């Protein structure tokens, strides 16, 4: 049987999300609930996939079926496509499985042409409305087809307004709008080389094609990569009868949430604009009114809306984000979806819904995206510093949090300043649009002069957990676009400002921030998550302070303590440099003797903080190039310290130069060439443990000593020997009963493949997936950024394998090593300590692979706890 590619709204329901996309499935569900939804149909996501399979053409089957449904829609509405007397006008809307707000383009008022618009004007007795609809259609269609961005057309509108001496778009007359429509059409012809299509069927397929194509535009690809959405999902296309919010003062359009998306507070929250259409509310063309004012303007429609909102929330058992239009007094629902919300709101809503008996704890735990928690873990302004700061302006508190950084004015500059220069940036814009998405992603904060709480900037920032203040109308941009005036001062690119997304205040200076604290809803929610979690969550911490921070976030041990990181501080790096450049064993021993007490002290501090929780300490693994001195002054100082002529030291440094330091003399290779390094480190660890044990006999302290970069059993045995000889001697002499374990990182593919061998002597494995990824792909993590973009573009790889575990390749090595390791040693301890230990989708993989714990940076611990709980719930 032929595949069905098109469904009427009345044929679908919410469960068909994968096929109909989120928007289509929910329009169908609302239709089924008997709500006032304009009629329409959905062309499936499978049709989109087919379109790409067929080489970007809409095949005859899909075309025929679509036309059949247009005929059905004509039957249902009693209107006809292209009929001058009774025209069927439709919107063509995209909608994929996962909501991708603003990612793809919608075309409204399709079906109008020169003839239709004229009789439409006559029949409605409202020429202004008719021509407004027409110019919007041409504008949207041209934008989508030509992909030129909305700017150009907006400029034409601005010129027209200026010519007429008006500021509001509602003051444009029918004649003005007609003239604009002509201008848009000639622009279309100039750019595309043919006339603007007047046949509604041509318009329709042009629009459908554009929606399919938009699935693969740059911002959609970037959004998918950011949100782990596979490119083969495709988007559905919804074709829906138009309803008109731009018919005059009794018509309007709006958006609303069933709870406050910033705070989670229960109650209707939204905005609307009378005599407006589509995106006008969010685009900030005029400042919208808050939803409660609708009650005064149209009490009946308001009451109906309130009741629909309640039905929808009860039905979906989650906060809803809805779009509606009022056409000459009558309410229509155009969309509902689970609303994007800030992390703080998400936590409150999850707890409230449980308390209201709407959902159970399991559902609550599974409804928050772990990555979102990041936002509540982030810094707030230091209350003391804030007291002394005077705001220079106040906008809408669109997305909470505190941000401080250098001002930039374009999305491109945000990327340059943030990614390339490593600065914190605040993106200041008149308003944002989907083209800005990458720059917004790189920004610490976003400030806009235009737009409400549901403007693009606000919605996207909340989704990203980025602080945002919107609609600060007093901002005056400099003509050159590289400065703005606010509160009597001028700010230029690179100047520091601070934003408080919780209050809406903007400060013309850098304000100190302080870490967030965990309590209230967050704590309650995390306790639920912990109930369902089976994997442990440890942290990667190199200092007692990091360890203490991680404990506050719920870490259950240290999975990776990187001993070389202890030496990054200025007063310590000298000692490690000395060790690295030593030519003789004596020189090295002198240097190591300086390092011993420093290391022992750090380990003691960490053991004190961690008590009976497990601590894995990795032996030194410094890629040499990160530690060698390059600065003339540093070199002179080091030479003096070592009683060595500067020239000799320089010769040593250049002899240590490696062509490929990531694959160079590092990790256990250092202990093989210089056993005294492993000896010193073991001594520092064991003595620290003995000292702490003496002070705290109650601690169940079993240090786990981890050897990095092992590729061969004999290599491991050699290093393990150094460790056990040193440790056993010290323990015997101390008279303290101390146990310890010796294990290895699995980060060289050879070790993964030979894990059964290695497990003969290794008591635990910890997957070092940064190096494992690097070595498996054969590309350096320091250099991959330079060429990975080309791989994303060409769809060879969809994700950065350093951020999201490559489950097929690297994952296969992990699963293999788990199996082989357990063959030899059934009770072998297994964990992961690479960056991936904090990435939710990678964590689910670790759960399925059977790891006992994941380890991640302190700020990711709550994220990992939640991801581990969700993995357990999903796979149980
Ligand atoms: P997005 O996914 O970007 O929200 P939508 O497809 O929801 O895009 O549409 C963009 C705007 O057009 C929304 O404000 C929506 O309410 C409005 N709209 C879509 N279809 C219709 C229609 N049939 N009648 C009136 N307005 C519509
Ligand atoms: Mg929408
Ligand atoms: Mg490594």
């Amino acid at each position: 049987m032929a595949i069905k590619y098109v469904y009427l709204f009345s044929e679908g329901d919410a469960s068909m999300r994968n096929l109909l996309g989120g928007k289509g499935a929910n329009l169908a569900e609302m239709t089924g609930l008997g709500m006032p939804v304009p009629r329409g149909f959905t062309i499936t996501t499978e049709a989109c996939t087919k379109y790409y399979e067929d080489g970007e053409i809409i095949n005859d089957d899909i075309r025929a079926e679509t036309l059949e449904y247009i005929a059905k829609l004509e039957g249902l509405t009693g209107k006809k496509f292209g009929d001058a007397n009774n025209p069927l006008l439709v919107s063509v809307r995209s909608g994929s499985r996962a909501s991708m707000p603003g990612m793809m383009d919608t075309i409204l008022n399709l079906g109008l042409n020169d003839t239709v618009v004229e009789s439409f004007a006559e029949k409605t007795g409202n020429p202004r409305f008719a021509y407004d609809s027409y110019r919007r259609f041409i504008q949207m269609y041209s934008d989508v087809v030509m992909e030129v961005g909305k700017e150009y057309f907006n400029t034409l509108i601005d010129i027209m307004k200026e010519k007429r001496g008006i500021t509001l778009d509602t003051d444009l007359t029918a004649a003005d709008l007609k003239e604009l429509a002509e201008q848009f059409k000639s622009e279309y012809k100039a750019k595309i080389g043919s006339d603007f299509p007047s046949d509604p069927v041509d318009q329709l397929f042009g629009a459908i094609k554009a929606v399919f194509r938009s699935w693969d535009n740059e911002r959609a690809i970037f959004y998918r990569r950011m949100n782990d959405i596979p490119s083969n999902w495709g988007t559905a296309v919804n074709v829906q009868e138009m309803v008109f919010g731009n018919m005059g003062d009794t018509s309007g359009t709006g958006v609303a949430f069933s709870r406050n998306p910033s705070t989670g507070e229960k109650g209707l929250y939204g905005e609307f604009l009378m005599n407006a259409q589509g995106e006008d509310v969010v685009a900030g063309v005029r400042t919208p009114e808050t939803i409660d004012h609708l009650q005064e303007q149209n009490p009946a429609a308001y009451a109906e809306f309130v009741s629909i909102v309640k039905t929808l929330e009860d039905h979906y058992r989650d906060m809803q984000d809805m779009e509606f239009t009022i056409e000459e007094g009558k309410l229509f629902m155009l969309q509902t979806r689970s609303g994007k919300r800030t992390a703080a709101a998400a936590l409150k809503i999850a707890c409230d819904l449980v308390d209201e008996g709407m959902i159970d704890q399991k559902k609550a735990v599974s409804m928050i995206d772990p990555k979102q928690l990041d936002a509540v873990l982030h810094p707030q302004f230091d209350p003391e510093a804030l007291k002394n700061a005077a705001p220079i302006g106040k906008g809408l508190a669109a997305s909470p949090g505190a941000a401080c950084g250098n001002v930039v004015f374009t999305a491109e500059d945000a990327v340059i300043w943030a990614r390339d220069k490593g600065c914190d940036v605040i993106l200041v814009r008149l308003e944002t649009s989907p083209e800005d998405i990458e720059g917004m992603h790189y920004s610490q904060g976003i400030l806009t002069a235009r737009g409400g709480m549901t403007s693009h900037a606000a919605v996207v920032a909340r989704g990203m957990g980025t602080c945002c203040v919107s609609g600060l109308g007093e901002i005056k941009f400099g003509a050159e676009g590289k400065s703005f005036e606010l509160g009597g001062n001028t700010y230029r690119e690179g100047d520091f400002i601070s934003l408080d997304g919780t209050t809406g205040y903007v400060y013309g200076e850098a304000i100190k921030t302080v870490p967030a604290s965990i309590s209230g809803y967050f704590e309650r929610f995390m306790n639920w998550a912990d109930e369902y979690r089976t994997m442990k969550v440890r942290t990667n911490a190199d200092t007692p302070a990091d360890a203490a921070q991680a404990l506050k976030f719920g870490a259950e041990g240290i999975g990776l303590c990187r001993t070389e990181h202890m030496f990054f501080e200025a007063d310590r790096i000298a000692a490690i440099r000395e060790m690295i450049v030593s030519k003789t064993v004596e020189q090295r021993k002198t240097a190591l003797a300086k390092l011993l007490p420093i290391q022992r002290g750090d380990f003691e501090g960490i053991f004190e903080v961690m008590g009976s929780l497990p601590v894995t300490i990795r032996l030194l693994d410094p890629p040499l190039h990160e530690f060698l001195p390059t600065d003339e002054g540093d070199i002179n100082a080091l030479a003096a310290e070592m009683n060595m002529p500067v020239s000799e030291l320089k010769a040593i440094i250049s002899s240590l130069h490696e062509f490929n330091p990531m694959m160079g003399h590092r990790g256990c290779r250092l202990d093989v060439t210089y056993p005294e390094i492993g000896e010193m480190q073991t001594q520092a660890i064991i003595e620290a443990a003995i000292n702490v044990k003496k002070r705290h006999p109650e601690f169940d302290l079993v240090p786990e000593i981890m050897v990095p970069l092992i590729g061969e059993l004999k290599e491991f045995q050699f290093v393990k020997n150094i460790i056990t000889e040193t440790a056993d001697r010290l323990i015997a002499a101390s008279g303290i009963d101390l146990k310890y374990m010796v294990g290895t990182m699995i980060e060289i593919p050879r070790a993964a493949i030979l894990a059964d061998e290695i497990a003969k002597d290794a008591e635990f494995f910890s997957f070092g997936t940064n190096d494992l990824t690097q070595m498996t792909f054969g590309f350096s993590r320091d250099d991959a950024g330079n060429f990975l973009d080309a791989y994303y573009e060409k769809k060879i790889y969809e994700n950065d394998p350093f951020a999201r575990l490559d489950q097929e390749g690297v994952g296969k090595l992990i699963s293999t090593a788990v199996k082989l390791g357990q063959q030899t040693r059934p009770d072998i301890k297994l964990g992961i300590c690479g960056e991936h230990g904090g990435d939710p989708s990678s964590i689910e993989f670790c759960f399925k692979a059977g790891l006992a714990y994941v380890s991640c940076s302190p700020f990711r611990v709550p994220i990992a706890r939640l991801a581990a709980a969700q993995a357990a719930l999903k796979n149980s």
Side-chain angles (χ1 to χ4, degrees):
M1 213 191 82
I3 304 173
K4 181 171 160 71
Y5 284 114
V6 188
Y7 291 78
L8 281 175
F9 293 164
S10 53
E11 292 177 296
D13 63 49
S15 71
M16 294 161 75
R17 190 180 186 96
N18 291 358
L19 193 62
L20 303 180
K23 195 179 289 164
N26 286 337
L27 282 167
E29 187 79 7
M30 285 198 290
T31 303
L33 288 169
M35 292 174 176
V37 177
R39 282 153 297 200
F41 57 83
T42 305
I43 305 169
T44 65
T45 54
E46 285 174 359
C48 178
T49 311
K50 188 79 182 117
Y51 164 85
Y52 281 103
E53 271 171 25
D54 291 344
E56 311 202 6
I57 48 168
I58 298 174
N59 73 27
D60 292 346
D61 290 348
I62 298 174
R63 195 182 157 90
E65 206 178 335
T66 304
L67 289 173
E68 192 187 308
Y69 275 76
I70 281 288
K72 283 191 188 181
L73 195 55
E74 287 174 338
L76 287 169
T77 57
K79 298 177 184 169
K80 259 189 113 47
F81 223 31
D83 187 318
N85 290 318
N86 190 17
L88 171 64
L89 301 185
V90 295
S91 64
V92 176
R93 322 170 64 185
S94 62
S96 68
R97 242 195 254 191
S99 100
M100 294 170 65
M103 283 300 106
M104 288 175 286
D105 299 292
T106 294
I107 297 167
L108 301 178
N109 312 326
L110 186 142
L112 285 172
N113 57 33
D114 289 351
T115 341
V116 173
V117 74
E118 233 171 274
S119 58
F120 193 53
E122 222 168 278
K123 252 198 77 195
T124 55
N126 191 343
R128 191 200 172 273
F129 152 69
Y131 284 101
D132 184 48
S133 303
Y134 194 33
R135 69 93 192 161
R136 285 172 189 269
F137 167 54
I138 299 169
Q139 183 175 352
M140 284 185 262
Y141 190 91
S142 306
D143 170 31
V144 164
V145 173
M146 304 190 311
E147 299 176 75
V148 289
K150 298 176 179 56
E151 277 317 302
Y152 180 77
F153 298 101
N154 287 335
T155 310
L156 288 179
I157 296 173
D158 286 343
I159 292 172
M160 177 70 77
K161 285 201 271 191
E162 208 165 299
K163 235 171 35 189
R164 301 282 178 266
I166 56 178
T167 53
L168 291 177
D169 57 335
T170 39
D171 290 339
L172 289 167
T173 64
D176 297 338
L177 293 161
K178 188 172 179 176
E179 194 179 326
L180 276 172
E182 287 307 319
Q183 289 179 4
F184 291 175
K185 276 196 295 185
S186 11
E187 177 61 18
Y188 179 93
K189 185 164 185 186
K191 282 264 163 61
I192 299 289
S194 58
D195 281 323
F196 189 86
S198 60
D199 178 358
V201 172
D202 291 344
Q203 295 173 351
L204 179 68
F205 285 102
I208 294 172
K209 198 165 170 174
V211 172
F212 284 161
R213 218 177 41 214
S214 75
W215 174 251
D216 246 357
N217 71 27
E218 233 173 85
R219 21 180 175 119
I221 291 173
F222 181 76
Y223 187 89
R224 286 205 290 273
R225 187 144 45 82
M226 257 171 62
N227 292 283
D228 287 343
I229 298 172
S231 66
N232 64 6
W233 279 6
T235 179
V237 185
N238 300 289
V239 178
Q240 186 176 30
E241 181 190 5
M242 280 303 300
V243 286
F244 299 99
N246 54 338
M247 275 196 156
D249 291 338
T250 57
S251 302
T253 180
V255 293
F257 295 85
S258 59
R259 297 176 192 233
N260 184 317
S262 272
T263 63
E265 208 69 49
K266 203 175 169 173
L268 200 53
Y269 185 89
E271 292 169 327
F272 71 102
L273 260 183
M274 293 314 268
N275 200 7
Q277 187 176 57
E279 306 278 59
D280 289 0
V281 180
V282 293
V285 291
R286 275 175 281 146
T287 301
E289 294 183 76
T290 54
I291 192 86
D292 47 308
H293 286 95
L294 184 59
Q295 190 162 19
E296 299 144 26
Q297 307 206 12
N298 187 337
Y302 181 77
E304 187 184 1
F305 185 61
V306 168
S307 128
I308 285 176
V309 171
K310 174 150 183 9
T311 308
L312 285 175
E313 229 205 44
D314 289 351
H315 185 71
Y316 286 101
R317 294 176 183 264
D318 192 9
M319 186 261 264
Q320 295 297 297
D321 168 2
M322 295 146 298
E323 290 173 2
F324 64 92
T325 280
I326 296 173
E327 180 181 300
E328 301 203 304
K330 170 150 181 37
L331 174 74
F332 290 94
M333 295 301 294
L334 288 170
Q335 188 171 342
T336 191
R337 61 178 171 214
S338 140
K340 296 242 177 261
R341 59 204 83 176
T342 64
L347 290 166
K348 177 170 166 55
I349 290 171
C351 291
D352 284 354
L353 289 175
V354 169
D355 292 340
E356 291 163 23
M358 296 259 272
I359 57 172
D360 61 11
Q361 288 177 23
K362 275 190 193 170
K363 171 78 190 154
V365 167
S366 54
M367 75 192 277
I368 296 187
D369 175 4
K371 280 189 192 155
Q372 229 202 335
L373 292 181
D374 209 36
V376 275
L377 302 170
H378 278 302
Q380 306 291 320
F381 285 128
D382 173 11
E384 279 310 305
L386 203 54
K387 253 189 229 159
N388 301 321
I392 51 170
K394 184 169 195 266
L396 300 172
S399 179
C404 162
N406 305 104
V407 169
V408 293
F409 292 96
T410 66
E412 294 75 44
D413 287 336
V415 176
I416 292 168
W417 278 73
R419 188 184 63 192
D420 305 343
K421 301 192 194 174
C423 299
D424 286 349
V425 306
I426 308 278
L427 178 61
V428 185
R429 306 273 296 152
L430 184 59
E431 65 202 341
T432 64
S433 67
E435 292 82 47
D436 295 329
I437 192 115
E438 185 169 9
M440 294 171 76
H441 179 64
Y442 279 105
S443 301
Q444 247 62 37
I446 296 156
L447 172 62
T448 67
R450 270 207 259 183
M453 293 294 286
T454 49
S455 65
H456 179 266
V459 172
V460 172
R462 281 198 295 271
M464 290 174 171
T466 302
C467 158
C468 174
V469 173
S470 68
L472 210 175
E474 287 94 76
I475 291 181
K476 288 216 176 45
F477 287 94
E480 78 299 349
K482 289 272 185 189
S483 70
F484 72 90
E485 228 184 86
L486 183 64
N489 292 314
T490 303
Y491 301 88
R492 295 189 174 78
E493 184 177 76
D495 287 351
F496 274 101
I497 63 167
S498 300
L499 305 183
D500 190 334
T502 316
T503 60
Y505 282 119
V506 178
Y507 303 87
E509 61 195 285
I511 300 176
K512 201 176 135 208
T513 54
V514 292
S517 73
I518 293 191
S519 58
Y521 295 113
F522 189 42
E523 195 173 9
R524 190 164 170 226
F525 176 83
M526 291 310 298
N527 287 337
W528 293 339
D530 287 344
E531 275 180 41
Y532 304 110
R533 178 164 62 88
T534 52
M535 257 192 317
K536 296 270 183 207
V537 175
R538 296 197 194 181
T539 190
N540 298 350
D542 313 318
T543 62
D546 282 357
Q549 175 66 262
L551 278 188
K552 281 196 202 132
F553 287 151
E556 298 162 299
I558 290 179
L560 177 63
C561 172
R562 285 163 292 213
T563 50
E564 63 282 357
H565 282 198
M566 299 172 150
F567 299 108
F568 279 142
E569 281 163 49
D571 54 330
R572 296 173 164 204
I573 199 155
I576 200 150
R577 283 179 174 156
E578 203 175 317
M579 182 206 79
I580 290 171
V581 302
S582 292
K583 259 172 71 180
T584 65
V585 177
E586 281 63 46
Q587 277 176 337
R588 196 168 308 106
K589 286 201 162 157
T590 314
L592 287 170
K594 292 182 192 167
L595 293 174
L596 176 68
I598 302 177
Q599 288 231 295
R600 190 174 48 215
D602 284 348
F603 295 144
E604 271 185 49
I606 288 174
F607 290 143
E608 287 275 356
V609 170
M610 298 304 289
S612 295
L613 296 173
V615 176
T616 306
I617 294 169
R618 179 179 72 183
L619 297 187
L620 211 53
D621 180 17
L624 287 182
H625 64 299
E626 285 179 23
F627 284 87
L628 283 174
T630 49
D631 178 278
E632 202 64 26
D634 288 349
I635 294 175
N636 293 341
L638 187 58
E641 179 68 28
M642 296 183 74
N643 281 323
M644 195 188 266
V646 171
S647 59
E648 192 182 337
L649 178 59
K650 283 190 173 165
I652 294 175
I653 292 174
S654 73
S655 77
L656 286 173
H657 168 80
E658 291 182 321
F659 289 102
N660 202 336
M662 278 299 185
M663 294 180 139
H665 194 190
R666 52 180 281 226
C668 63
R669 296 160 199 168
L670 285 172
D671 300 291
V672 172
T673 40
Y674 309 128
E676 54 277 17
I677 296 176
E679 257 170 56
M680 180 284 286
Q681 289 209 285
T682 305
Q683 184 181 351
I685 295 167
I686 296 298
E687 286 179 352
I690 289 172
N691 292 345
V692 172
K693 244 339 225 194
K694 279 185 186 155
R695 288 198 286 275
H696 301 281
E698 75 281 8
F699 282 1
D700 182 16
L701 173 56
V702 184
E704 298 169 359
I705 301 174
M706 180 156 78
V707 186
L709 237 56
I710 286 294
E712 154 65 36
L713 176 64
K714 288 200 212 75
E715 182 186 36
F716 180 69
Q717 286 168 332
F718 179 86
V719 182
K720 187 178 175 181
N721 259 336
I722 302 172
I723 297 169
T724 52
E725 267 172 28
T726 311
D728 293 347
R729 175 169 48 78
L730 292 169
I731 293 170
S734 75
I736 297 264
D737 176 29
L738 179 74
K739 302 244 177 329
Y740 65 95
M741 291 170 78
V742 186
T744 180
M745 305 268 283
I746 301 285
E747 52 187 340
I748 304 275
R750 191 174 194 277
I753 298 168
L754 296 174
D756 47 346
E757 281 290 300
I758 312 253
K760 285 180 185 158
D761 274 288
E763 293 171 279
F764 61 85
F765 288 167
S766 175
F767 291 96
T769 49
N770 300 348
D771 270 310
L772 190 59
T773 299
Q774 170 165 265
M775 309 267 183
T776 303
F777 279 86
F779 45 62
S780 145
R781 64 184 124 133
D782 294 336
D783 298 320
N786 297 335
F787 52 78
L788 271 178
D789 277 342
Y791 277 77
Y792 304 145
E793 252 163 55
K794 314 225 154 80
K795 302 252 180 56
I796 299 173
Y797 295 128
E798 282 189 18
N799 291 290
D800 175 357
F802 292 105
R804 185 173 191 258
L805 189 75
D806 158 45
Q807 303 191 1
E808 287 157 34
V810 178
K812 192 164 184 180
L813 283 173
I814 294 177
S815 310
T816 306
V818 167
K819 212 168 75 212
L820 293 176
Q822 285 172 333
Q823 250 169 41
T824 306
R825 192 185 283 267
D827 64 342
I828 189 163
K829 252 195 180 180
L830 300 166
I832 180 177
C833 62
E835 277 309 302
H836 305 97
D839 171 62
S841 69
S842 310
I843 290 172
E844 186 181 352
F845 173 83
C846 294
F847 173 84
K848 290 196 222 156
L851 303 193
Y853 71 86
V854 297
S855 188
C856 56
S857 61
F859 274 95
R860 290 200 170 177
V861 166
I863 298 170
R865 281 163 67 196
L866 179 54
Q870 291 181 350
L873 283 173
K874 196 168 148 195
N875 296 285
S876 65

